[in-house]
Amino acid sequence: MGWVLRLVETGTDNRAQSVEVMEISRPNGLRDIASLGLTLPEAKQLLARVQQAVVAAQARDHAGLRLDCAACGLRCHAKDWRPHQIATVFGGVTVRLRRFLCSGCGRGETATSWPSHCRSTPELDQLRAHLSALMPYRVAAGVLEHLLPVEAGKSPETLRGHTLEVGEHLRNAATIAPTAAAPAIALSLDSTFIRSCEDGERHLEVRIGNVETPDGCRRVFGAVARTDTDVAGLVRRSLESLGRTDDTELTAFTDGCPGLRSILADAGVTSPPILDWFHIAMRLQHAKRAAEVLSTDEPGRMQAKAVIVAKVERLHWRIWNGKAKDARLTIERIREAMHVFKGEHSHRRGNAPSRKLWHALHAVDAYLSNQSAWLVNYADRHRAGLRVRTSITEGTANFLVNRRMAKSQQMRWSRRGADLLLQVRSAVCNGTLGSGFGRLFEPMSRPHPTLPKAA
Ligand SMILES: [Zn+2]
């Protein structure tokens, strides 16, 4: 079987113009399911040819344009043509654009508002940036090439260049105006690290945050330390975009690092921040998991394990109820009970459970001793319906940074590259990058996240 695809122009005064785009042929019959309908290569070719035909018609229309001078109002005359090669989502096109000259004052006109040195459509720029925000440049390039007749900018390096350009635009973009004033906003600010490819440093510090209103509006933001991105400015803009006013009640959460507290102060967040329950809960979880798999190969260990498991629960309860001092005593008791696990061997590779437990307790203890000023009675807050943690269940750092830039993926980052990619990734998450297709989270309506259960 065969078809001819014809594109017929409508809505013009001229007699309908038509152009044959493509011949399609398929085997007769449906014996083989593979011969059902169009194939991907055919579809790509079809899209590319339709695109070229549409652009050719648009260029013809443009060529017939008559233009009056914007300065003196006299009729302009055609000066010359300029060819432009533009990459689109459906392949590269060449457009000849007429340039005009005013017969009165000699002013030049183009009759387009294209940016100078324009090489691609905004839609393609956004698509490339969007994919790059979600997956490695090499994978994104592969996906584009596989699905679309994209010709230009298929290499990972070009994709990276385009994406960082979009990131730079986003960084300098104005605040998105809120629709309404927010009575309350919870703000979290944390830091994490990614591997650096720059000389003389192993890691780059990344600051990330999350702002949210009780009705579920949410925005994430992030910046690599020591770049042109001002993180205090990001905090301020994020708060403004959610509708912060002088009357907005602000609650700030951090992981307790003093550098982050001074950023909050720079951003005009004056109320003292609370240590995000997420950070403690995560470490308590590590301790619990390690306690549960302690070996019971000796009677003494069996008994000690039962004591330790119960005490870790107790530790959880004490911290949740704001009893930091008592919690440190519990840690001491657990440590005392642990001596029977000396020399414990791991069943699988990695550390023995007792070693893991030791490390986890150390991390909890460090929070209790260094951050005691920022610990609150989480149980009280929770009972009062107040927030105790960010609503991104895996934590903003995992959500915004690690999923794309994780240490485990062996990726190494330049300071500028990581920072600008983060601007794009935040915009994708927030649904503020162009069309907003496939945004990572929808505004949610749950006023409170699922809270960790106290023991
Ligand atoms: Zn003129």
Side-chain angles (χ1 to χ4, degrees), residues 69 71-74 102 104-107:
C69 174
C72 69
L74 282 177
C102 172
C105 67
R107 186 188 144 100

Side-chain angles (χ1 to χ4, degrees), residues 173-178 236-242:
T175 308
I176 296 156
R236 231 175 288 125
R237 271 162 51 189
S238 302
L239 289 171
E240 279 165 22
S241 70
L242 281 196

Side-chain angles (χ1 to χ4, degrees), residues 115-122 124-126 128-130 132 137 153 156-173 229 416-425 427 433:
S116 52
H117 311 299
C118 170
R119 299 232 171 281
S120 49
T121 56
L124 179 60
D125 294 342
Q126 269 170 25
R128 288 191 285 215
H130 196 137
S132 302
Y137 294 118
E157 291 73 29
T158 339
L159 208 61
R160 177 178 181 274
H162 287 297
T163 305
L164 299 192
E165 223 170 276
V166 171
E168 212 146 344
H169 280 293
L170 288 166
R171 184 170 64 185
N172 304 324
T229 307
R416 176 175 172 270
D419 182 60
L420 294 179
L421 180 64
L422 254 182
Q423 307 315 311
V424 178
R425 197 165 153 80
L433 181 73

Side-chain angles (χ1 to χ4, degrees), residues 248-327:
T248 302
E249 189 192 319
L250 276 180
T251 312
F253 295 96
T254 71
D255 70 353
C257 162
L260 298 180
R261 287 200 284 269
S262 70
I263 291 171
L264 285 176
D266 284 351
V269 181
T270 46
S271 54
I274 297 169
L275 183 59
D276 192 328
W277 176 253
F278 168 78
H279 295 293
I280 311 168
M282 199 172 61
R283 281 157 183 87
L284 283 170
Q285 198 58 38
H286 291 164
K288 263 183 217 187
R289 245 182 264 140
E292 276 158 16
V293 294
L294 283 170
S295 53
T296 50
D297 47 0
E298 295 166 18
R301 285 185 173 177
M302 212 188 290
Q303 208 178 5
K305 179 179 173 175
V307 171
I308 290 169
V309 168
K311 288 218 180 292
V312 172
E313 282 299 329
R314 181 111 193 110
L315 177 66
H316 186 146
W317 187 90
R318 285 186 153 169
I319 302 176
W320 176 249
N321 285 280
K323 300 178 191 307
K325 225 182 197 172
D326 297 350

